[in-house]
Structures are given as C-alpha cells and as structure tokens.
Amino acid sequence: MSSTTPTSPATGPLFARLGHALGCFVVAHRKAVVAISLLFFAVFSFGLTKARFSTDYRIFFSKEDPGLTAFQKLESVFTKTDNVLLVINAKEGTVFTPETLAVVQELTDQGWKIPYASRVDSLTNYQNASATDDDIVVAELVKKPARALSPDEVTHVRDTAEHEPILFGSLLSRDSKTTAVNITLRLPGKEPDEVSESAGAARRIVASMRQKHPELDIRASGMAFMNDAFMQASVRDLSVMMPLMALVMLIGMVIVMRSLLATLSVGAIIGLSAAMTMAFAGFCKYPLSPPCVAAPMIVLTVAVADGVHVVLAVMDAMRDGHSKSSAIANSLKSNLEAITYTWLTTIVGFLCLNYSEAPPVRHLANMTCFGVSMAFLFSFTLLPALLAILPIHASKRAAKPEGYSSAMARLSDFVVRRRVWVLAGAAVVTAVAGLGASRLETNDQFIKYFDESIEFRRDADFTLKNLSGIYRLEFQVASGEPQGTIDPTYLKSLDAFALWLRAQPEVEHVYSIADIHKRINQVVNGDSPAEYRVPDTREASAQNLLVYEMGLPSGLDLTDRVNVDKSAARLTVTVRDMSTKQMTTFTRRAETWLHDHTPNPMWAQATGPVVIFSELSDRNARSMVQGDFVSLALISICMIVVLRSLKLGLLSVIPNVIPIVLGYGLWKLCVGQMNIVASVAGSISLGIIVDDTIHFLTKYKSTLADTRLTPEAAMRKTLAHVGPAMIGTSVILVMGFGVLCFSSFQMTSYLGWLSVIIVSVAPTADLILAPALVVAFSARRPTSQAEVDERGESPLPAFTSNSASVPSLQIGVS
C-alpha cells in the first residue's frame, strides 16, 4: 500500500518545505521532543484527577432548558422525584399473607435508614382514615406486627387496599401479587457519590432480604437506580470497551504496518491522545456520561490514521534506499498537507455537533475535536521522534494479490462506460432511502437507554411487568388563590381531570388530592359509599383536611401533594411504556382537556423526566438538521479550497451525503427509530468519510495534471492507487466503531451501529459514484489520436480548470 505521492507546484511546496523542516528538526532533537511531549502530557494529565462520573440524568439538559426549568420548579415547590423503589413480588399467591406483610413492614423500617431518605410510603404504613364514634382516626393500615394478624384482619387490609385509589395500581399491583416500598430521597447535591451511596444501601437491604425470604422476588428500582446506572454504563464502557477497541486497533496496525515497534509507536500517540481527551473533560468540568466516554474511543479510531500515514511513508522511503532519518523527513514532507486537510474536515464535522440540545453530545464533540487535534500534533512530533529512536526496520513490500490491478481496471471501465446507469441507479436508491429516512422517528425512553446487562434495566422491566409503569407525568395545578385547593369547585374540576385521565388507555394510575378529600368526606359521613365525593362547602373541606393532617405522623404529611399556602396541588399520572411520539401526543391531549374544561388558573403543563426527555428529543432532532446543514456547508467550502475547483468541491458533497442518507434509510428499515445521540451520527460520519473523497479527487486531478492520459485511463490509475487504501480505511473505521456497538448504553451502541453502516457504504460511493460524477460533469479534453488508436477508446471528458495547481495528497489508510 503506497503512501507517498508527488506534491503539486501550487501549495504543495509550502507544506512540503514545512514538513521537511519539521522532520529534520524532530530527528535532530529526537530525545528533547520525546521529553517535552511527555512533560506536556504529564502536566495536562492533571485534568484526569478532575474528571468525575455523573449520577444525574439531568446532565442531558442545559440549564436554560424550559422543560427542566419547569420540572425543577415543581420539585422546589413539592418533593423531589429522586427515589428508591423496593419491589416485592409473591412467587405464589398474593402479598396479603402475614408473612409477606411482615416483610413489607421490615422493608419500610429499613427504608428510613437509607442515606438521604426523607419519606417512606408502603402498603403497611399507608395512613388509612376511619371513623370511631364521632372521631376520625388516621393510622397505619397494618397497625401491629403483621405476623400476628388474624385471617379476618388480613382480609380487611386487602379489601381496604384494593379499594383505595391511591394504593391500587401504584404501590399495589392490580393482581395483588406485587407491592412496593417507595423511599423518597432528599439529596443535598453537594457530593457526586450521594446517589451511589443511597443505591448501594438499598442493594444491601435487598440482598439481605432475598437471602432470608427466597419465597419472594425482591427488586430495587427508582430514579436513584437509574441515575446510578448512568455511571455504571460509563464505567463499563471505559473499562471494557476502551481496552477492547485499543486491542482491535493494535491488531489492525500490526497487519497493515507489519512492524511491532512501529505499531507500539503509533499506539503510544493514540493512547496519549485518548488520555488527554479525558483530561480535557476534567479541565472543562464536563461530567462523564456514556456519550462523553465514547469520545476517547472515537479518538482511537479516527486518530490511528494519522500515525499509519506517517509510518507507511517512512517504510516506503526506507525500502527505496533512504536512511531512516531521511525517510522520516520525507514522510512528514509528503504527509503534512494531506493530514492537515483531513484533520480540518474531521473537526469541522464534530464541532457542528454543538448545535445539539443535549450537553453530553456537545461535550462529546469538543472532547473528540481536542483528542483528534492532539493526535494530529503528536503524529508530527512525538511519533517521528520515537521512530528515530527505536530500531525500526522496513519489511519487504507485500506482493499485490493476483487480479489486483485487473479488478480495479474492470471497476473503472464499468463505472466510466456505464456512468449514466450508475447515476440513475444511485438516484433511485437514494430517493427510496431518503423517503425512509424522512420517516424516522426519535424515541428516547430513558429506561431503554440501558441494555439487559445493566441490573437497573432488568429490575425496571420487572417493575413494569409486575407492578405498574415507572413513567410519571406531573401536573402542578394552581387554584389562583391562597387556600384555593380546599375550594369545592377547584376540587371537583381536579377530580374530573383525574377521572378523565383514568379513562385513557395510556394511564395506569392517578394520584390526586381530590381522592383524599373524597375519602375523608366518606369517613365523616358514616363511611357511606354515597358520600365518597368532594365536600359541598369550603368550610367542610378545610375542617376535614385539618383533622386528617393532625393525625398524620412526621414525614408522611401532605407537603408532597399541596404547596405551603395551599394555592396549588400536585397531580401525578403513571403511564404505560410509550414511545416519545406517543408520550408527546398524550401530554398534549391532557393539556388540551385542562384548557377546555377548567378555569384559566388550573391550566397546567405536564412535566417529569419522561416528558422533558420527549421534548428534548424533538428539539434536538430539529437542531441537528440545522447543524447538519452548517456542517455540510463548511465541509463543502473546505473541499472547494482543497481541490481548487468550485465544480469538484460541490460534486464531492454528493458521494459524502449519500452514505448518510442510505445509512438512515437502512436504519428506518431495520430499527425504525433513533435516540438523541443516533441523530448526530450523520454529522460525525460526514467529517470522517470526507477524508477518502479528498484523497480520491486530489489524486485524480494530479494524475490529469501530470500526464496526458485520457480521463478513463486517469480514472483507472487513480482507482488502482487509492482503491485498496480506501477499503483499508473503511475496514479500520468499521472495526473501531464496531466496538461501540457492544456498549451497554443504547445511545452509544446506536451511534456505533449507524456509524458502521455509513462508513461501510462510503467506499462504494467513493469508488463507484464519485468516478461516474467526475466523468459525467466534466469538460472534454483533447487527446492524441495515437493514444486513442492504441487503447481503442474515444476521448472522454475531464476537468480542465487549474488542474496543474492542485495539491496531490498522501494516499493511505485514512
């Protein structure tokens, strides 16, 4: 695989002089360069000590995010939604046995011992209101040790629980086989390990209870475990995927370069670059999330090309008889221009990811840009210094496989002679894929971010199947005045909204303060079923609520349901598992009902983690369309400058866009939906796959400029030279991005799969579509009759604009 090409007379000499001077300097001061590079790395690596894993899903939202702002406002008025949910499932029968209720009681007591616990709700400590003579008694549903309950008392507990709308369908499953203990957390937010501390304590409780009660299936879920799962996924990807990707890269480099020492030299620069990527996150105070952790792995994949370029050129020069010092200087001379251009287009593609609405995606972009830039710098400083120091020898040239040249010749003949059919076929395929891609829907269900190797996902699925949904919508429904939540008119409207919600197929449970008022009114009026309604007067409502609240123990009051001045109440809706689009449709329907059936002060918008993730997904998709256009425009400008041709620069966009369209079209066919990070795969891939297009078109133009070949012959020569290198490029990129496919975090794995698809399609576009475009849209060039007679060909069109001034770039593994 040759990796050197002659420089062109235009800008080539400038880069050539700079590269040669740099090479001579590095070789002459090799030890000093190594020492300075390592010192620079050592100083910068202090950023690694500042890097912190995140345990908060809120990092996916910017501080200005309107959805997050509304959600935080609700949490500041009422109680935060951070919680631990201990789920108890009876493997046989129901949970209404003295033994199982005793376990629920024990877990309730243990729940108060979990760090940062501020409230514990369960079936056994539910504050049940009942009437004794003329008094209202508020007490725990299971008032004495559950093991001492008589059969009649157990039956009473079951009847009460199954007829209590606050419990049934929430802390008690509708088949009465599963119940839960909900521990609300009040996290100070001062230490990053607060969530892990609470989750760890809950895990120890669950492990102990499972051992003592094998007849029960006890699980732990809740927002605390979801937040902790973000950190688990990040740590797993960094500790498992990163070494795996490094191993894949090393194996690929050994095969390509056939030199262990050269491979280790390149491995050193990409390893330092990846480490500095993480240090950069520490200095910038980026919280480490699964998308961010993918940055050093992308750097490994993309940056390996820079080192391979340099090493292959050194090896070629040494085989041609140059000394190692001279070969290193020549390598930098021939590679500086090409790698500079490909580095530039790569970082342009990544920088445009800053259009994303999700901060972790922006962090991924900036970290990758920095890491790739460090690899670019080390490739022309530390790497040649190491090559000069180490006893590296050039291996013999590998023989080209039989049929190597003829295969490329046949491909060239087919593309050029059948260019109309090639372009027509590409147009049809692209149109079909584009139609599919346009119908892709974003779907960000945060539970499904994690695959089943993460314990949280397994326990969350178990909870969804056996208890109730874990997606909750919150409505802060205002009354418009202090003490307005005890007004009968307000309560009746709130109750009507709750009844409407319960009738919707998406809803599994509704928790409304109106249900408490109705229950107290029933108890006050002799427990008559007819009196299960909202009181008729404000005075009656206020008096009933006062008596009820006086009977509530500390930590179980109604401050999580009603604000301090009782001007607003919180209504919680638990819904089944839904896609982002379904969730958005449902929330809009609920908000419309409030608008149409209640007074103006009661108009409220739905909020909650599932809602704000849905809104973020939609906004991010729109933002990334804008980012993709900006990225495309900037890369097009770069291509025009690099190729010194407006026509070639614009044409080069087509073979780079089509793989992205085909990738998303195939994704629609195979998967049907994408998440936040998958929506940015196009921008990431565009900045990478454009490198091969640069190599192909610049080689073609330089071939035309340096020879009198017909365009067909020039195309044959170009394809023979760059074809294997472009295929090799794609293989390395596919291997690298393929490792991301095995991430336990869906955002990262989707990014890996989409990138693999796009990068796999890109060589076909560059080797078939690009040549057809070049020939179809070029001007005719005169050629000698002798050459036409000799080849039996007619003169074919070719570009005539400034071809002599086109820089000829390094062709190799990109």
Side-chain angles (χ1 to χ4, degrees), residues 280-357:
F280 177 78
F283 279 122
C284 294
K285 297 182 179 179
Y286 290 163
L288 297 183
S289 60
C292 289
V293 169
M297 291 185 274
I298 295 175
V299 169
L300 283 178
T301 301
V302 177
V304 70
D306 294 350
V308 172
H309 274 302
V310 173
V311 171
L312 289 179
V314 171
M315 296 290 192
D316 275 353
M318 291 174 66
R319 293 188 192 102
D320 291 337
H322 291 270
S323 67
K324 186 165 66 172
S325 296
S326 174
I328 292 173
N330 285 331
S331 174
L332 269 61
K333 174 183 177 181
S334 62
N335 277 292
L336 181 60
E337 184 178 15
I339 297 179
T340 298
Y341 287 140
T342 55
W343 163 76
L344 179 62
T345 54
T346 298
I347 65 170
V348 165
F350 277 97
L351 283 175
C352 286
L353 295 183
N354 281 282
Y355 275 90
S356 174
E357 292 279 334

Side-chain angles (χ1 to χ4, degrees), residues 20-331:
H20 189 269
L22 179 61
C24 293
F25 176 84
V26 170
V27 170
H29 303 87
R30 63 195 76 173
K31 293 183 180 179
V33 170
V34 172
I36 293 172
S37 298
L38 294 180
L39 179 62
F40 174 62
F41 169 75
V43 172
F44 201 86
S45 64
F46 279 109
L48 291 172
T49 64
K50 300 177 181 293
R52 294 289 184 272
F53 288 100
S54 173
T55 56
D56 190 354
Y57 66 87
R58 295 173 181 84
I59 62 168
F60 282 91
F61 305 89
S62 63
K63 294 180 180 179
E64 300 78 23
D65 188 280
L68 180 63
T69 301
F71 181 52
Q72 290 178 328
K73 180 180 178 182
L74 179 137
E75 288 189 318
S76 67
V77 173
F78 302 103
T79 305
K80 285 195 172 183
T81 57
D82 295 313
N83 74 310
V84 168
L85 189 70
L86 304 180
V87 181
I88 306 100
N89 171 258
K91 295 180 180 179
E92 294 184 5
T94 72
V95 297
F96 291 104
T97 65
E99 293 75 19
T100 301
L101 291 174
V103 172
V104 176
Q105 276 188 331
E106 186 175 355
L107 284 171
T108 302
D109 294 338
Q110 292 288 330
W112 287 106
K113 300 176 183 178
I114 291 177
Y116 313 110
S118 64
R119 181 186 179 102
V120 180
D121 293 284
S122 71
L123 178 67
T124 57
N125 81 341
Y126 172 70
Q127 300 302 302
N128 183 49
S130 60
T132 302
D133 297 328
D134 294 330
D135 297 327
I136 297 178
V137 177
V138 180
E140 292 183 347
L141 184 57
V142 181
K143 290 174 283 189
K144 58 184 179 181
R147 293 187 187 278
L149 291 175
S150 66
D152 289 341
E153 288 173 324
V154 171
T155 299
H156 171 72
V157 169
R158 177 171 184 167
D159 289 342
T160 302
E162 290 182 344
H163 288 86
E164 177 50 65
I166 292 177
L167 291 176
F168 198 57
S170 176
L171 293 180
L172 176 65
S173 64
R174 299 192 181 279
D175 61 4
S176 296
K177 292 177 64 65
T178 309
T179 187
V181 177
N182 185 62
I183 301 101
T184 303
L185 305 177
R186 185 170 291 142
L187 301 172
K190 297 179 180 179
E191 300 295 334
D193 60 350
E194 292 170 356
V195 169
S196 298
E197 187 180 353
S198 298
R203 286 192 185 96
R204 289 190 291 272
I205 291 173
V206 169
S208 175
M209 296 298 287
R210 280 177 176 173
Q211 193 171 26
K212 292 194 296 184
H213 301 282
E215 75 280 5
L216 300 174
D217 195 346
I218 304 175
R219 306 288 185 104
S221 187
M223 296 303 295
F225 281 88
M226 187 187 80
N227 285 331
D228 189 57
F230 277 107
M231 186 181 72
Q232 288 186 46
S234 301
V235 172
R236 182 181 183 276
D237 282 357
L238 197 60
S239 60
V240 178
M241 311 301 290
M242 185 87 161
L244 178 60
M245 179 172 284
L247 179 62
V248 169
M249 294 292 99
L250 290 173
I251 293 174
M253 287 188 289
V254 168
I255 294 173
V256 171
M257 296 186 294
R258 291 177 293 152
S259 169
L260 180 60
L261 288 178
T263 297
L264 294 178
S265 299
V266 177
I269 69 164
I270 64 175
L272 294 180
S273 301
M276 292 183 72
T277 301
M278 299 297 290
F280 177 78
F283 279 122
C284 294
K285 297 182 179 179
Y286 290 163
L288 297 183
S289 60
C292 289
V293 169
M297 291 185 274
I298 295 175
V299 169
L300 283 178
T301 301
V302 177
V304 70
D306 294 350
V308 172
H309 274 302
V310 173
V311 171
L312 289 179
V314 171
M315 296 290 192
D316 275 353
M318 291 174 66
R319 293 188 192 102
D320 291 337
H322 291 270
S323 67
K324 186 165 66 172
S325 296
S326 174
I328 292 173
N330 285 331
S331 174

Side-chain angles (χ1 to χ4, degrees), residues 280-517:
F280 177 78
F283 279 122
C284 294
K285 297 182 179 179
Y286 290 163
L288 297 183
S289 60
C292 289
V293 169
M297 291 185 274
I298 295 175
V299 169
L300 283 178
T301 301
V302 177
V304 70
D306 294 350
V308 172
H309 274 302
V310 173
V311 171
L312 289 179
V314 171
M315 296 290 192
D316 275 353
M318 291 174 66
R319 293 188 192 102
D320 291 337
H322 291 270
S323 67
K324 186 165 66 172
S325 296
S326 174
I328 292 173
N330 285 331
S331 174
L332 269 61
K333 174 183 177 181
S334 62
N335 277 292
L336 181 60
E337 184 178 15
I339 297 179
T340 298
Y341 287 140
T342 55
W343 163 76
L344 179 62
T345 54
T346 298
I347 65 170
V348 165
F350 277 97
L351 283 175
C352 286
L353 295 183
N354 281 282
Y355 275 90
S356 174
E357 292 279 334
V361 176
R362 301 199 292 267
H363 300 163
L364 164 69
N366 298 333
M367 289 170 64
T368 304
C369 286
F370 179 81
V372 170
S373 298
M374 288 299 98
F376 173 76
L377 175 65
F378 285 143
S379 294
F380 292 102
T381 54
L382 178 59
L383 177 59
L386 290 174
L387 294 177
I389 293 173
L390 296 174
I392 293 174
H393 304 283
S395 58
K396 294 181 180 180
R397 293 187 190 275
K400 294 181 180 179
E402 186 178 353
Y404 168 91
S405 300
S406 60
M408 287 299 167
R410 288 196 299 272
L411 177 63
S412 175
D413 289 340
F414 171 79
V415 170
V416 173
R417 295 183 183 280
R418 305 293 182 183
R419 58 187 179 275
V420 175
W421 289 105
V422 168
L423 294 177
V428 172
V429 172
T430 304
V432 173
L435 180 63
S438 66
R439 296 182 177 180
L440 264 175
E441 294 181 0
T442 56
N443 185 25
D444 281 278
Q445 295 167 276
F446 49 77
I447 302 301
K448 294 183 179 178
Y449 286 164
F450 310 93
D451 70 22
E452 294 182 358
S453 67
I454 299 293
E455 185 180 18
F456 163 73
R457 171 63 187 276
R458 298 194 300 270
D459 291 341
D461 288 343
F462 180 86
T463 303
L464 281 166
K465 179 181 178 181
N466 294 281
L467 183 61
S468 69
I470 56 178
Y471 295 114
R472 293 184 177 181
L473 283 67
E474 305 282 357
F475 290 88
Q476 183 176 339
V477 186
S479 64
E481 60 174 335
Q483 304 298 317
T485 57
I486 61 175
D487 182 83
T489 302
Y490 170 86
L491 289 172
K492 288 177 181 177
S493 296
L494 189 66
D495 188 46
F497 183 43
L499 292 174
W500 178 84
L501 287 168
R502 288 176 181 133
Q504 306 309 304
E506 300 92 342
V507 174
E508 294 193 347
H509 185 261
V510 179
Y511 189 170
S512 168
I513 191 70
D515 293 321
I516 295 176
H517 281 274

Side-chain angles (χ1 to χ4, degrees), residues 677-730:
V677 174
S679 65
V680 307
S683 292
I684 292 176
S685 302
L686 181 60
I688 296 172
I689 63 178
V690 71
D691 295 359
D692 278 343
T693 308
I694 291 176
H695 288 313
F696 170 75
L697 292 178
T698 52
K699 176 60 181 176
Y700 174 72
K701 290 198 69 176
S702 65
T703 300
L704 283 178
D706 297 339
T707 68
R708 290 299 300 167
L709 294 175
T710 63
E712 183 180 35
M715 188 63 66
R716 178 182 288 107
K717 184 175 181 180
T718 300
L719 287 175
H721 189 90
V722 305
M726 291 165 67
I727 295 172
T729 297
S730 301

